[in-house]
Amino acid sequence: MAGPGYLRGLAGLLGSAVHPVTMSVRVRFAPSPTGPLHMGGVRTALYNYLFARKHGGEFLLRIEDTDQGRFVAGAEEYIKESLEWCGLELDASPWKEGPDGPYRQSERKELYRHYAEELIAKDKAYYAFDTSEELEAMRERSKAAGVAAPAYNSVTREHMRNSLSLSADDVQKKLEQGEPYVIRLKVPRHEEVRFEDAIRGWVVVHTSNIDDKVLFKSDGMPTYHLANIVDDHLMKITHVIRGEEWLPSAPLHVLIYEAFGWERPVFAHLPLILKPDGNGKLSKRDGDRLGFPVFPLDWVDPVSGEKSSGYRERGYYPEAFVNMLALLGWNPGGDVEIMSMAEMVNYFDLGRVHKGGARFDPAKTDWFNQQYLRMRPDAELGAALKERLEEQGIVTSVERATAAVVLLKERATFVDDMLEGTYLFTTGSPLKGNEEALAEARKRWKPATGGALRSFMDRLGSKPLLVSAEVEKAFNEMLHEQGMKIGQVMPMFRLFVAGRMQGPGMFDVSALLGRDEVMTRLEHGLELSKTWD
Ligand code: GLU
């Protein structure tokens, strides 16, 4: 398993733990507003949501903003909008008060001191008055003694200035004089911390590997660890489902629960999302390098002004994005891939979440979008296409855009891809000003093609409306008569009428354009060809 070596323990030997869910479930997503939500964060929120809905439980959101130094303006709003876009409805949050609020830690700050002091009273925590110079000196001493990772722990604390080493009177005096202090957890000396992670199985860590973490800082704020546990307890969280990066902190969290004498939630640490290529965690740099977003929505850094693109603005459907994310680290068994939110809720099982990292695949993400695009009603796509065309100055009706969608959607991953079919909406030859198509037509031109196209035009008759099957019939009869193969005439027909080599079938295209338009375009092409012979 990943994470520091000391976490290896029994995990893996015993396999994934099975925690039957009997209590009423309550989970939370607890982001820190330190920047835009990464798609890994969205997946964490999604798994919490699926788990809550599956068990008829509640899904809360708590903003963990105790570290004011890392606060980023706009990040909270971004988190809210991202979850809304993904359809992850919250039962309680800073924006939807519930019985256990407030749901922003900065609004709960009065609370934490009391809990830190409760641990001191229970002899599970202590005041530490050491200055940064003293801490540095301690690290130097440890290093000189050959300690690889110097720490404030059950050994070194004996030589530091804290309420365990100083007399009660001294401590009292320092507190009265307002000497700065932090509150540290008194980690027991020779113990094994063990817990069963719902995804990873048993995790066993010896306390000699855990330092006396600061729970309460000299600025009067709790650290992440204290606030997180106090809040999970007060908010009656039953399952803590979060990213693998928190696994190394979990043994410490178990110790804090034990120190308070509180029942702890079930832990479930989700696998990392890995780069599409190579090893390691997916980062924004990978997205920049390979050209895909790592954020759900566009983001502009409020300080640097740097812009990052999001799935929403790139034209992905939220359903496709969520479906793709759900399968990054979980699958319902079998080869089901396309799932509605209701189906995902129905199948979701923490026991089926993988232990190993999940490799992100941008091509697969596009594939999901393509599947969802195909499921959209043609009229809806038609309306969307009409809007996009209008942005380009092409005015059309929803009916016509919808008819075009029927031809274009098979080749599209995004609505924007259907803009390759603008020739279905314009009038006149698509060769005008189209150097690429002109060069292609010229390269392929053979005098016999001209005769073939003339014969084809004669066969199209005089009816203004064309029916695809009739166009096809006329084309085939012409080939037969001319003794030519489809490949000898079709490309030119396509270039003259559509101005490009790829696209939907030309008989359908002709039917949509109507006889007059097809004739005009062919005529124009033939006119141009006179200079090519
Ligand atoms: N605030 C932590 C984060 O930003 C939450 C970790 C947890 O879920 O316990 O990821």
Side-chain angles (χ1 to χ4, degrees), residues 37 42 45-50 52-53 59 78-91 296-297 312 316-323 325 340-342 344-345:
L37 193 58
V42 182
L46 172 64
Y47 283 14
N48 274 283
Y49 173 85
L50 295 176
R53 294 293 171 263
F59 173 48
Y78 183 93
I79 292 165
K80 176 174 186 274
E81 217 180 308
S82 301
L83 299 187
E84 279 169 4
W85 182 64
C86 293
L88 305 181
E89 207 190 315
L90 294 158
D91 298 307
L297 319 177
R312 182 177 67 181
Y316 288 85
Y317 290 112
E319 295 86 346
F321 178 64
V322 166
N323 196 155
L325 272 185
S340 65
M341 193 71 101
M344 290 192 268
V345 165

Side-chain angles (χ1 to χ4, degrees), residues 447-457 478-479 482 484 488-489:
T449 323
L453 286 176
R454 270 279 165 232
S455 155
F456 173 56
M457 287 164 78
M478 170 275 289
L479 289 180
Q482 304 278 317
M484 292 176 87
Q488 292 173 282
V489 193

Side-chain angles (χ1 to χ4, degrees), residues 193-253:
V193 184
R194 47 173 70 215
F195 66 94
E196 196 182 12
D197 187 280
I199 295 167
R200 280 140 206 282
W202 283 98
V203 176
V204 184
V205 178
H206 197 269
T207 51
S208 59
N209 291 303
I210 305 176
D211 57 342
D212 287 2
K213 278 271 176 319
V214 173
L215 300 177
F216 199 80
K217 297 179 285 185
S218 52
D219 63 1
M221 289 292 267
T223 56
Y224 153 74
H225 302 291
L226 178 71
N228 183 272
I229 271 110
V230 166
D231 287 343
D232 279 348
H233 173 72
L234 295 177
M235 295 180 180
K236 306 174 196 71
I237 299 304
T238 58
H239 296 73
V240 167
I241 304 170
R242 62 185 175 189
E244 179 177 292
E245 63 273 28
W246 297 103
L247 185 59
S249 303
L252 171 78
H253 294 178

